[in-house]
Amino acid sequence: MERSWWKEAVVYQIYPRSYADSNGDGIGDIPGIIAKLDYLSWLGVDVLWLSPIYRSPNDDNGYDISGYQDIMGEFGTMADFDRLLTEAHKRGLKIIMDLVVNHTSDEHPWFVESRSSKSSPKRDWYIWRQPHSGGKPPNNWLSHFSGSAWELDAASGEYYLHLFSRKQPDLNWENPAVRKAVYDMMHWWYRKGIDGFRMDVINMIAKASGLPDAPVPPGPNPPEFVPGPYCNNPGIHDLLKEMNREVLRHYDAMTVGEIHGVNAVTGLEYVAYDSAELKGLFQFNIMYEGKDQPRLRQLVNEWYQAFKGRGWNSITLNNHDSPREVSKFGDDGPWRVESAKLIATFLLTAPGIPYLYQGEEIGMTNVSFDSIDDYRDIEMLNRYRDRIARESADKILAELRQGCRDNARTPMQWTAGPGAGFSTGTPWMKVNPNHSAINVEAAKEDQNSVLWHYKNLLAFRKANPELVYGDYCQVGDTEGPVYAYERSGEKSSYLVILNWSAQPVDYVLPDRFAKGYSCVIASYPTAKPQASKRLVLRPWDACVYRAQAGSSRLDQAGNEEGRSRNDSDGNR
Ligand code: ISL
Ligand code: CA
């Protein structure tokens, strides 16, 4: 197995708008991030992924870019960015940038020019079509942010495609000039010294040939617009191979594609060592389906088996588009601390690059605002707007709240003070009222906090490459609340036991683990120092054990019988 820095990395995502505000205008900014670099290196993460910091009118908080080589005024200047890069590198932290090239802002000069006339040399940089009969949009595709995915441009009488908001027109990747412009921009950032890209909806850049109508579900009131075939269209792999040839392969950098709509087998096609496309991907199976615990295990097993020896995996349970992981996969009530620690234990010992999201290291939770006026996300606001004429505000909020993206976007909770220590002014979005108890300052003071658990796990992972490169196999039951697995290398082996429930469980370990395993990291301060045949697991108990030299497991290393028995655990 070839070792690489990026395989060993733990990535921490920063949503700059909500991280740290240095000048009291209520908006997080680059100097704010710089001021937190010491905190981040104390924590022990390796790579920072910055959600977009480019010039943007902020229709979708920076995912609508109007200048790829400029910095958003609210966030600072290019000089601030250069300082961030230097200061991060000084501390051994790397920086990866968000690459949003499925679409630009409608205020990007490319689109302004494209829209200016049908004969503009940049007309074909975007996807323009004549209206359908009766002036209707060219097809029935639904935008991710509600309504038609087409917007009529009155001046030219043509529609342009936007899979996201109408202020995010899709680029036409069939045009070689578009591809060249994007590649030039990528080289420019790489030459500046960035360490990689996270690639926004990168598997949507190849459009379905002919832009066909999507099938309408049968029923009495068929919807006017329906989701189209947006992801993984023919041609996508050729585009990414070209991007690799033209740009990526020239740098020792990290790449991670946001890849919706794949399974373990089709996901691998994007990152297989021999496919020369991307190095890594986010897949969303586990984030979307893994709330069902046996399903989570099954998915981890499936992805591990598919990727083993063929490509490098990653693992993430939340980001700026999703609910908070402790609220979704754990218990943000009485067992918040314990369940957040269990989730951390899983993320930092499971196979694949862990992607952490700001605030998860202190167990930040979903938010529950009473009024739509306190929400900011375009997806949420549009959905609300579409329904409010027919339904009550309370009903809509009750339905949208749990899944909404603003759960992840409330400001980072640094202190119990006003503005959660995020800003001395009025934060652009209200802080979660629970910052009085859940904040970095308080967590640092408490060695049993979620924060210290992350810190300890991060240090432990760094010191023990088996947790990165070792084999993985599930141990014991595939049903029930306890998820146990082994990570093993040539020199040592780790057993991870997670009681993914609020119920205490009497757990019987397979014989081969019953002796010689000592506890190295535990979620409860009073964990038993040794594993034994029968373990009484407390609610949300999470424990990592290390096989001591001379334990039965290590004595079996290389023993065919032991190995196949282990593998079959993982496959069951
Ligand atoms: O967030 C979603 C569902 O709640 C997804 O549909 C999301 O829009 C999708 O994951 C794509 O996300 C990425 O591209 C969007 C941007 O709004 C997201 O923030 C970004 O992560 C458009 O650039
Ligand atoms: Ca600011």
Side-chain angles (χ1 to χ4, degrees):
M1 166 83 54
E2 196 193 326
R3 288 183 69 156
S4 317
W5 69 265
W6 55 269
K7 290 179 182 164
E8 296 170 21
V10 175
V11 183
Y12 180 99
Q13 181 190 355
I14 291 180
Y15 195 68
R17 200 170 191 79
S18 298
Y19 201 58
D21 171 21
S22 70
N23 61 354
D25 67 355
I27 297 172
D29 46 47
I30 296 172
I33 300 173
I34 297 174
K36 299 301 180 188
L37 290 175
D38 285 335
Y39 164 73
L40 292 162
S41 67
W42 171 85
L43 180 61
V45 295
D46 307 293
V47 176
L48 308 178
W49 150 28
L50 305 180
S51 273
I53 57 167
Y54 315 96
R55 175 141 56 88
S56 164
N58 277 307
D59 191 51
D60 185 20
N61 287 352
Y63 283 90
D64 48 321
I65 296 171
S66 54
Y68 286 106
Q69 282 153 243
D70 293 319
I71 300 293
M72 193 188 304
E74 291 167 329
F75 289 177
T77 61
M78 192 58 82
D80 290 327
F81 176 79
D82 292 340
R83 198 157 57 85
L84 171 62
L85 197 59
T86 311
E87 291 297 320
H89 285 168
K90 252 192 220 167
R91 292 167 177 78
L93 291 163
K94 296 189 190 291
I95 298 225
I96 65 175
M97 304 283 281
D98 220 308
L99 182 78
V100 187
V101 290
N102 174 68
H103 44 268
T104 67
S105 162
D106 65 338
E107 297 181 31
H108 194 290
W110 297 344
F111 187 76
V112 173
E113 200 180 327
S114 180
R115 171 181 242 168
S116 66
S117 94
K118 282 193 197 173
S119 57
S120 152
K122 290 216 168 52
R123 187 66 169 181
D124 185 49
W125 281 41
Y126 293 82
I127 301 171
W128 292 95
R129 290 291 182 277
Q130 292 289 325
H132 204 260
S133 56
K136 288 209 303 229
N139 69 23
N140 66 355
W141 292 359
L142 175 73
S143 137
H144 282 86
F145 296 154
S146 308
S148 172
W150 295 92
E151 181 74 4
L152 181 65
D153 172 55
S156 66
E158 288 187 336
Y159 281 89
Y160 65 85
L161 178 69
H162 60 89
L163 299 186
F164 293 88
S165 103
R166 61 169 62 93
K167 287 184 66 63
Q168 293 167 299
D170 282 51
L171 282 164
N172 175 17
W173 276 77
E174 285 181 11
N175 185 329
V178 168
R179 306 206 295 271
K180 170 146 194 331
V182 170
Y183 300 156
D184 288 349
M185 176 270 285
M186 293 172 73
H187 279 296
W188 187 86
W189 280 101
Y190 274 132
R191 287 195 200 109
K192 223 178 209 315
I194 66 158
D195 303 290
F197 284 114
R198 173 269 184 186
M199 302 184 177
D200 194 64
V201 292
I202 197 68
N203 61 339
M204 298 192 193
I205 62 177
K207 306 301 181 213
S209 166
L211 310 179
D213 270 334
V216 179
N221 294 311
E224 193 179 359
F225 305 113
V226 290
Y230 303 146
C231 299
N232 313 309
N233 286 307
I236 184 63
H237 293 290
D238 292 334
L239 287 175
L240 292 177
K241 283 184 207 309
E242 181 186 90
M243 181 189 282
N244 183 297
R245 262 192 330 269
E246 297 294 322
V247 186
L248 304 176
R249 75 182 174 93
H250 303 284
Y251 305 92
D252 176 25
M254 185 164 193
T255 51
V256 55
E258 185 195 21
I259 308 285
H260 287 273
V262 288
N263 58 32
V265 174
T266 52
L268 178 68
E269 291 169 9
Y270 286 90
V271 299
Y273 299 135
D274 54 8
S275 73
E277 295 183 29
L278 306 180
K279 286 179 181 154
L281 85 169
F282 298 132
Q283 46 83 13
F284 293 88
N285 292 178
I286 294 178
M287 197 191 280
Y288 294 157
E289 299 168 39
K291 190 171 157 52
D292 164 4
Q293 179 31 238
R295 180 71 183 139
L296 181 142
R297 256 174 268 182
Q298 194 183 37
L299 286 166
V300 173
N301 296 344
E302 262 174 45
W303 280 81
Y304 176 74
Q305 291 302 334
F307 275 54
K308 192 176 176 186
R310 301 189 192 98
W312 204 252
N313 226 322
S314 64
I315 190 141
T316 187
L317 292 181
N318 59 186
N319 61 31
H320 65 293
D321 293 334
S322 72
R324 287 280 174 182
E325 68 188 16
V326 70
S327 299
K328 182 166 179 183
F329 297 91
D331 173 348
D332 63 9
W335 300 107
R336 186 187 66 86
V337 169
E338 292 75 9
S339 63
K341 287 182 177 179
L342 174 138
I343 291 168
T345 311
F346 165 66
L347 289 169
L348 292 165
T349 61
I353 299 171
Y355 283 80
L356 313 180
Y357 180 66
Q358 68 182 41
E360 77 169 75
E361 77 273 26
I362 53 169
M364 276 178 66
T365 68
N366 281 355
V367 74
S368 185
F369 293 133
D370 293 329
S371 159
I372 189 69
D373 298 338
D374 292 332
Y375 287 94
R376 295 284 175 271
D377 175 31
I378 180 170
E379 182 184 69
M380 170 95 168
L381 300 180
N382 286 357
R383 286 184 182 167
Y384 185 91
R385 189 198 55 208
D386 285 355
R387 294 169 59 175
I388 191 64
R390 288 168 284 116
E391 298 167 68
S392 80
D394 285 353
K395 176 165 184 274
I396 307 173
L397 280 180
E399 282 173 26
L400 295 184
R401 222 181 244 133
Q402 261 206 324
C404 81
R405 307 200 298 181
D406 281 339
N407 282 315
R409 300 179 182 183
T410 58
M412 179 70 186
Q413 295 166 201
W414 297 103
T415 71
F422 159 73
S423 174
T424 54
T426 308
W428 72 281
M429 173 159 44
K430 279 190 176 167
V431 298
N432 191 320
N434 67 19
H435 74 276
S436 52
I438 305 172
N439 62 71
V440 171
E441 194 174 58
K444 266 192 162 176
E445 295 299 305
D446 174 7
Q447 298 268 331
N448 293 319
S449 63
V450 177
L451 180 65
W452 274 94
H453 195 65
Y454 268 91
K455 180 175 165 57
N456 293 338
L457 279 162
L458 283 159
F460 190 75
R461 181 183 165 93
K462 187 148 288 171
N464 295 285
E466 284 81 8
L467 294 176
V468 174
Y469 296 107
D471 286 344
Y472 158 90
C473 74
Q474 193 184 321
V475 169
D477 299 342
T478 50
E479 297 299 323
V482 180
Y483 177 19
Y485 52 87
E486 192 187 11
R487 298 299 311 275
S488 47
E490 272 164 28
K491 295 212 181 73
S492 48
S493 160
Y494 297 90
L495 171 67
V496 180
I497 302 181
L498 309 170
N499 175 14
W500 212 297
S501 82
Q503 266 62 57
V505 178
D506 260 327
Y507 186 68
V508 180
L509 264 179
D511 282 341
R512 64 184 188 279
F513 300 107
K515 266 205 210 103
Y517 276 77
S518 50
C519 174
V520 280
I521 303 245
S523 59
Y524 280 82
T526 53
K528 282 208 305 188
Q530 298 290 323
S532 55
K533 176 106 189 107
R534 305 190 83 88
L535 291 168
V536 182
L537 303 179
R538 290 164 285 187
W540 298 102
D541 217 329
C543 200
V544 183
Y545 298 92
R546 185 188 346 237
Q548 289 153 343
S551 76
S552 53
R553 172 64 185 83
L554 283 184
D555 292 347
Q556 278 176 11
N559 168 327
E560 276 308 309
E561 198 226 331
R563 179 116 320 274
S564 66
R565 208 170 54 213
N566 286 342
D567 281 350
S568 68
D569 283 337
N571 282 325
R572 254 204 318 257

